[in-house]
Amino acid sequence: MLTSRTPTTRTRDTAVAACREAAHRIRMGVLVQGEAQGEGYVAQGLGAADILAVAYTHLLRLRPQDPDWPDRDRFLLSTGHYALLLYSALAEAGTIPVEELRTYAADGSRLPMSAMSTYTPGVEISGGSLGHGLGLAVGTALGQRLQARPSRTVVLFSDGELDEGSTWEAAMAASSHRTGDLLAFVDMNGMQADGPTREVLDVDDQVARWESFGWRATRVDGNDVGALVDVVGLAASRMTPVGVPQIVLCDTRLGAGVPMLESREKLHFMKIAEDEWPRCMRQLTEQHEGGRR
Amino acid sequence: MSASTPQRSAAMIASIADDGVPTTQAPFGHALAELAERDERVVGLTADLGKYTDMHVFAAAHPSRFVQVGMAEQALMTVAAGMATTGLVPFASTYSVFATRRAYDFIALDIAEPQLNVTIVGGLPGLTTGYGPSHQATEDVAILRGIPGLVIVDPADAVDVEQAVPALAAAPGPAYLRLLRGAVPRVLDRYDYRFEIGRAAVVRPGNDVVLVSSGLMTMRALLAAERLSEHHVDVSVVHCATLKPFDEETVLREIDGPRLPLTLENHSVVGGLFETVASAMVRRGVSVPLRPVALPDEFLDAGALPTLHDRYGLSTDAVVTRVLTELGRG
Ligand SMILES: Cc1ncc(C[n+]2csc(CCOP(=O)(O)OP(=O)(O)O)c2C)c(N)n1
Ligand SMILES: [Mg+2]
């Protein structure tokens, strides 16, 4: 049960090992969904899997069978097209059955291609339109604080969402209202719809930018589970209802964990051929068993 | 749920082309690139959706006249407006949902109020993706129709798009173009048709039924009309490529009579073509029962686009069935 698990009761090594196992299962769930539907934002899901594995295994206090528990920590996925990653994490947490992943984006499924709170238990907000998550997170943190609930708010958004003014409006609201129980992750995969982020819009210097907006900011290798565990542990220890909001900028690799995808031309929408799915799964397992992931 | 054969929705790459209909690739991008050869005022902008609005064709042809503002739709509108004040003619593309819902204030005050020559190009208008409410611009026309002086164009096919692009650049004020992107059906060149801002056109004559349509529903209306002739139902199709200003003369002349009139639109039943025609009828004292083929006043489902077009009555099959039912022959 995730509720009884607090970061301090585990040694770091056990925590890292548990997160690695979770990350592997989450990645496999991403591939299962991609194979079932024949498409999906698989490369992004694999790239950001370690962030969700650490969040769901090592940070969030949830009652997986009771997704409406008022005191739960909130995990808000701002980047709606990362839905398949969140579904996989929710399957890992036990909120939805693992077998249900095969219905991803099918007609009538609870798991639409873009994550929506009205469709899926455990999904807190409706994404799809980008740049909403951080503002929703600020409001959630304020609401929980006002009602004195011992609950923290965690949000994941993408580097593309750094382009949206709404993200920066929310950034100022958070530091101004001192939402210290708010932790943001940014998936810095270097990609957005029209191509590599640096060719679309300059989003360099993010640590300095967030610090200047009154946040505590760190940048880590978002595919280094050990580093993530350390950063998240430290961030969690600092979280407090009134305080400085924190952001972790995670450099990730599209397709991480599956070499044949990591080495492929980087695209926002990476196509994977029908016969490639089993090979992707095999490579993922080999990497994991070889201790490389 | 079947483990071996999961049902696929192809929600991301959805085509609106019916089987057997010829298509043209990226007609908007090519028309804009070609126009820019002749008119050096033309510039293109996008908010991280160049590849998905066919703006990449223009960007490749005229890189120095292309501006990428990043995924920032409000900046897209204000930057386009700023460029227009210097005498340029910007075409600014994003998805319809983000243009209308996120950037409305900037369209209204920075583009429309000063009557600047900016064309806002909205991809995925109405129900043209199975991606769910975040991407389904079911009320884009309803949102924008209230802006004074904003021309709204809802092209039927590639022919319409190709002719609308130079026409909108030549016209002085602001416009919203409901984009058809990718492999776009080409049907109007089989008829005697020419796009003109503010003009509806009787594309096909017929004695029993009048289908007043806009956008891709004109393509569906024409296909349905062919199928209905096999049922000995003679169908006229009146295409309203411009939703604002609206050609009331032509449309009311066509529906005022004994033929069964229906409106067909790829839009919510609230605030689009149906209500435009209905209010014109009331104002001009035309009293015939008018039936809408339109999307319901709901947030729509996610799923496969052809399935959704069947479910919400926009597919050619659904239109054929609807007309027969209205005629009491269902
Ligand atoms: C407000 C808004 N504008 C535009 C889009 C279209 N869009 C979908 S994904 C995307 C790229 C955003 O960047 P990012 O999330 O970093 O992309 P990825 O890493 O998945 O390639 C865009 C522009 C959107 N969903 N929402
Ligand atoms: Mg990205």
Side-chain angles (χ1 to χ4, degrees):
Chain A
M1 217 36 198
L2 290 166
T3 39
S4 57
R5 195 185 280 171
T6 55
T8 46
T9 59
R10 291 171 168 273
T11 67
R12 176 185 183 274
D13 290 350
T14 356
V16 171
C19 289
R20 279 221 174 91
E21 292 303 319
H24 175 66
R25 287 187 295 268
I26 289 172
R27 283 195 167 86
M28 192 57 85
V30 166
L31 290 176
V32 164
Q33 293 172 82
E35 181 184 37
Q37 192 50 232
E39 62 175 5
Y41 292 95
V42 171
Q44 287 89 331
L46 295 170
D50 296 310
I51 304 171
L52 263 78
V54 173
Y56 272 85
T57 311
H58 190 57
L59 175 67
L60 296 168
R61 292 175 302 215
L62 303 167
R63 289 178 184 163
Q65 319 303 333
D66 181 11
D68 298 324
W69 176 42
D71 286 353
R72 71 188 180 282
D73 286 345
R74 303 295 202 275
F75 180 84
L76 276 54
L77 177 68
S78 183
T79 317
H81 63 279
Y82 284 25
L84 78 181
L85 172 59
L86 178 57
Y87 302 150
S88 198
L90 289 170
E92 169 69 17
T95 305
I96 59 174
V98 176
E99 313 80 66
E100 194 170 343
L101 294 178
R102 294 192 60 82
T103 72
Y104 169 61
D107 258 343
S109 166
R110 295 197 299 173
L111 312 180
M113 188 159 276
S114 185
M116 284 185 274
S117 60
T118 41
Y119 278 60
T120 319
V123 174
E124 301 278 4
I125 62 171
S126 292
S129 177
L130 295 165
H132 291 226
L134 191 58
L136 287 164
V138 174
T140 305
L142 286 174
Q144 294 293 75
R145 183 169 83 192
L146 200 61
Q147 296 169 85
R149 295 205 185 112
S151 148
R152 303 166 301 179
T153 304
V154 180
V155 56
L156 172 69
F157 60 94
S158 65
D159 45 4
E161 295 185 82
L162 294 167
D163 293 0
E164 289 284 358
S166 54
T167 297
W168 297 98
E169 294 171 22
M172 281 187 274
S175 53
S176 182
H177 290 285
R178 300 185 51 76
T179 51
D181 265 338
L182 174 60
L183 174 63
F185 291 101
V186 190
D187 179 26
M188 304 287 289
N189 65 7
M191 183 57 61
Q192 53 194 102
D194 274 341
T197 301
R198 75 193 120 70
E199 290 171 22
V200 174
L201 208 69
D202 171 18
V203 293
D204 268 357
D205 241 4
Q206 284 299 318
V207 170
R209 290 192 200 189
W210 285 90
E211 283 174 350
S212 77
F213 272 63
W215 287 58
R216 185 172 276 131
T218 359
R219 193 154 181 161
V220 295
D221 177 346
N223 294 124
D224 179 341
V225 172
L228 282 171
V229 165
D230 293 341
V231 164
V232 163
L234 184 61
S237 72
R238 289 170 173 153
M239 288 176 95
T240 158
V242 179
V244 178
Q246 302 180 76
I247 188 161
V248 182
L249 298 143
C250 304
D251 291 299
T252 62
R253 295 189 310 279
L254 283 164
V258 179
M260 62 184 271
L261 299 182
E262 284 187 52
S263 59
R264 185 168 290 195
E265 187 201 354
K266 298 286 183 282
L267 289 170
H268 169 68
F269 181 35
M270 201 185 273
K271 287 206 178 70
I272 298 172
E274 198 65 51
D275 59 346
E276 290 183 316
W277 297 102
R279 269 171 57 215
C280 288
M281 293 180 184
R282 229 179 301 126
Q283 288 197 352
L284 178 66
T285 305
E286 283 164 14
Q287 290 290 305
H288 182 63
E289 286 171 356
R292 289 181 293 274
R293 180 130 300 282
Chain B
M1 175 177 59
S2 148
S4 52
T5 52
Q7 181 258 331
R8 291 184 170 182
S9 66
M12 292 167 71
I13 310 158
S15 170
I16 53 157
D18 288 49
D19 283 346
V21 175
T23 60
T24 297
Q25 198 61 37
F28 165 70
H30 289 290
L32 191 64
E34 194 184 302
L35 174 65
E37 302 287 343
R38 291 179 271 125
D39 185 344
E40 57 189 29
R41 301 170 307 153
V42 170
V43 291
L45 299 86
T46 193
D48 195 21
L49 283 172
K51 285 185 189 170
Y52 298 82
T53 56
D54 295 345
M55 184 62 88
H56 66 295
V57 176
F58 173 87
H62 303 281
S64 65
R65 290 153 72 180
F66 167 69
V67 179
Q68 168 69 267
V69 301
M71 187 176 63
E73 294 74 16
Q74 301 180 354
L76 177 70
M77 301 308 167
T78 49
V79 172
M83 293 178 84
T85 63
T86 71
L88 296 172
V89 176
F91 281 70
S93 77
T94 178
Y95 285 160
S96 296
V97 276
F98 309 128
T100 56
R101 294 175 184 166
R102 182 156 311 188
Y104 180 84
D105 188 29
F106 300 85
I107 293 174
L109 291 167
D110 303 318
I111 294 174
E113 198 279 333
Q115 283 291 293
L116 294 173
N117 188 354
V118 174
T119 298
I120 297 147
V121 181
L124 303 183
L127 176 57
T128 45
T129 169
Y131 209 67
S134 66
H135 284 60
Q136 291 161 346
T138 51
E139 81 294 20
D140 58 336
V141 174
I143 291 171
L144 294 180
R145 247 180 85 212
I147 298 186
L150 180 74
V151 170
I152 301 178
V153 172
D154 193 14
D157 73 342
V159 174
D160 241 357
V161 172
E162 288 162 358
Q163 296 185 15
V165 167
L168 290 171
Y176 171 62
L177 175 67
R178 295 184 102 202
L179 177 71
L180 302 173
R181 68 168 193 189
V184 177
R186 193 171 194 92
V187 290
L188 286 172
D189 53 4
R190 279 182 267 160
Y191 301 85
D192 179 23
Y193 172 80
R194 206 166 60 80
F195 172 84
E196 205 180 318
I197 296 173
R199 289 292 295 274
V202 180
V203 178
R204 176 191 161 114
N207 289 318
D208 303 322
V209 176
V210 188
L211 301 181
V212 175
S213 57
S214 71
L216 68 90
M217 289 312 291
T218 293
M219 171 187 73
R220 296 272 157 81
L222 290 167
L223 295 171
E226 282 168 31
R227 297 251 306 272
L228 285 159
S229 70
E230 294 158 21
H231 296 263
H232 308 292
V233 179
D234 194 16
V235 177
S236 172
V237 176
V238 182
H239 173 45
C240 308
T242 315
L243 292 171
K244 196 181 175 186
F246 191 67
D247 185 356
E248 297 183 1
E249 303 296 330
T250 303
V251 171
L252 294 192
R253 187 183 67 227
E254 292 300 315
I255 61 176
D256 192 6
R259 298 178 297 177
L260 172 75
L262 289 94
T263 56
L264 289 81
E265 63 195 300
N266 168 33
H267 186 270
S268 165
V269 72
V270 175
L273 177 66
F274 172 68
E275 288 192 357
T276 301
V277 175
S279 68
M281 288 169 61
V282 173
R283 260 186 287 108
R284 299 207 181 198
V286 172
S287 177
V288 289
L290 179 70
R291 307 258 182 340
V293 170
L295 298 167
D297 178 22
E298 291 167 15
F299 287 106
L300 306 183
D301 295 339
L305 191 63
T307 313
L308 297 177
H309 275 197
D310 275 334
R311 185 173 305 160
Y312 295 116
L314 299 194
S315 66
T316 304
D317 283 350
V319 171
V320 169
T321 308
R322 176 72 185 276
V323 169
L324 291 174
T325 308
E326 294 291 349
L327 288 169
R329 293 169 48 178

